[in-house]
Amino acid sequence: MTNLLAHLAHLEIASPDVDATAAFFERQFGLRPVQRDEDGTTYLRCWGDYYPYSLVVSPGDEPALVTMAWRTASADALEEAAARVQARGVEGTWHDKRQGHGRSFRFTGPYGHTMELYWDVPQHTAPAELASVFPDRPERRSSHAAAPRFLDHVTIAASDVKGFAAWYGEVLGFRTMAFTDLDHADVTVFSVLTTNEKSHDLGVVLDSSQRPGRVNHIAFWTDSVQELLVAADVLMENGASIEYGPSVHGVGEQSFLYFREPGGMRVELNTGGYRNYVPDWQANTWKPSLGSNSIYRNSAMPMSMTESFPPDEGRPTATEEGVLPGTEDALLNPYARHGQG
């Protein structure tokens, strides 16, 4: 298949308290606000991203993923991608210029997640006072100690991990890089997909909820492990609670840190990981006991990490789908046992 998608371009999330969420991303995490609409919708950018904004925070009754936006590999690729989606019986909508980018195709996939595809988007030009001494940088490095360089990925929740990976691979050309199956049951609970050489820019966890289109977390990138540790320090010193980490994922090999913003959404900061250019890569299958989630295998993942958004009362995320007798606890949180989280 011709390469259709280039990379994740921006995310839009909903927050029940846009002001608090936007203030958190600006003051405690170091993103820079670049625009605010009359309804409070706020556009923020990471200092290293090449387009005008990285994250949109809009009003909503509960934390949720509004859309995940990918830039296509060309103008022709946008047309082909839209045609392939529609050929699978999924109706989308074409939009003229909106939110600072050009014509786009927006659709909701078979698992309830809204995706927007576009080609035409302006390169970011920093104001003179924020211009970098590096000509290739879109903006000077942030002076905020926790500020991420880039938007990195989004991890959604879906009722069928392998089905989700297959559909997005067949229709839009995502490469599946890895799966995680339970140790003691034939159930796939996690997968990572990519549109480029990164280990992933789209993750998927198994969801038992009846609410489609949920998200587990959004993620940003920093340049080094030391910067990630400093960010953890800065976040804690300013009142944020660290939900999980720092540690290193086995799948993808990234160092990671998870926390929540005031609207409730889970945010990850990560760094490291591998680059994979193999066009015919065959995804390996991990087990929690191999360190798929935390390669050091010396801790347990908090149960709160199984929550996805919007919340579903009594159905935490992710993993009790397909419960077999005797495996209920492992399916609910396969990383809860010490040494598997």
Side-chain angles (χ1 to χ4, degrees):
M1 179 189 296
T2 303
N3 185 30
L4 296 178
L5 307 185
H7 61 90
L8 181 65
H10 79 263
L11 295 172
E12 182 175 351
I13 62 170
S15 171
D17 190 341
V18 172
D19 290 343
T21 295
F24 176 89
F25 278 112
E26 177 185 3
R27 298 170 191 166
Q28 291 182 250
F29 198 43
L31 273 62
R32 187 169 69 83
V34 293
Q35 181 179 324
R36 184 177 175 90
D37 293 343
E38 290 183 2
D39 67 352
T41 296
T42 303
Y43 301 72
L44 303 108
R45 59 171 282 103
C46 302
W47 65 266
D49 271 331
Y50 295 100
Y51 308 139
Y53 56 88
S54 315
L55 179 68
V56 182
V57 181
S58 56
D61 293 334
E62 50 194 351
L65 178 67
V66 177
T67 191
M68 45 185 174
W70 261 261
R71 192 180 186 201
T72 60
S74 66
D76 289 343
L78 173 59
E79 302 294 331
E80 183 179 348
R84 293 181 66 87
V85 168
Q86 291 174 319
R88 295 294 288 263
V90 175
E91 290 301 320
T93 303
W94 284 100
H95 295 273
D96 290 330
K97 293 181 180 181
R98 61 185 298 272
Q99 292 187 325
H101 59 73
R103 182 171 176 262
S104 64
F105 180 73
R106 187 179 174 106
F107 68 94
T108 299
Y111 297 90
H113 303 89
T114 299
M115 181 178 282
E116 187 163 17
L117 310 177
Y118 54 79
W119 161 249
D120 186 20
V121 59
Q123 301 282 312
H124 174 67
T125 301
E129 67 274 14
L130 293 177
S132 174
V133 298
F134 293 84
D136 292 333
R137 285 185 182 174
E139 188 169 304
R140 71 170 55 168
R141 180 182 287 272
S142 173
S143 59
H144 192 296
R149 184 169 189 149
F150 301 124
L151 177 65
D152 189 68
H153 70 266
V154 57
T155 292
I156 60 83
S159 60
D160 180 353
V161 171
K162 286 192 170 178
F164 182 98
W167 194 90
Y168 283 85
E170 293 164 5
V171 176
L172 292 174
F174 281 87
R175 290 192 299 153
T176 300
M177 306 307 291
F179 294 106
T180 298
D181 286 2
L182 293 182
D183 282 279
H184 304 299
D186 186 20
V187 178
T188 301
V189 295
F190 183 62
S191 183
V192 287
L193 297 81
T194 189
T195 56
N196 47 57
E197 80 284 356
K198 296 195 315 185
S199 65
H200 67 295
D201 49 14
L202 178 60
V204 51
V205 298
L206 183 62
D207 197 356
S208 65
S209 171
Q210 299 305 304
R211 300 189 71 172
R214 298 209 299 163
V215 61
N216 186 264
H217 65 269
I218 64 173
F220 298 84
W221 168 272
T222 193
D223 281 354
S224 69
V225 173
Q226 183 59 42
E227 288 173 84
L228 183 144
L229 296 176
V230 169
D233 217 26
V234 170
L235 287 161
M236 288 191 301
E237 292 276 30
N238 288 278
S241 297
I242 303 304
E243 186 176 20
Y244 185 35
S247 188
V248 179
H249 289 310
V251 172
E253 301 183 28
Q254 296 97 341
S255 297
F256 68 82
L257 170 72
Y258 292 93
F259 52 94
R260 303 281 187 104
E261 53 82 17
M265 181 67 69
R266 179 178 299 109
V267 182
E268 180 185 10
L269 181 64
N270 69 19
T271 192
Y274 61 75
R275 296 293 182 262
N276 183 313
Y277 301 87
V278 180
D280 55 353
W281 177 255
Q282 298 298 307
N284 290 306
T285 298
W286 288 68
K287 304 284 186 179
S289 62
L290 296 175
S292 59
N293 201 39
S294 179
I295 195 63
Y296 298 124
R297 289 168 282 181
N298 61 358
S299 64
M301 186 183 80
M303 186 61 73
S304 65
M305 286 289 295
T306 68
E307 297 169 4
S308 287
F309 312 97
D312 190 358
E313 190 71 29
R315 307 287 293 205
T317 335
T319 47
E320 65 262 47
E321 184 77 15
V323 168
L324 302 175
T327 67
E328 292 86 353
D329 289 343
L331 284 162
L332 183 62
N333 182 358
Y335 315 105
R337 181 180 298 172
H338 187 83
Q340 294 190 178

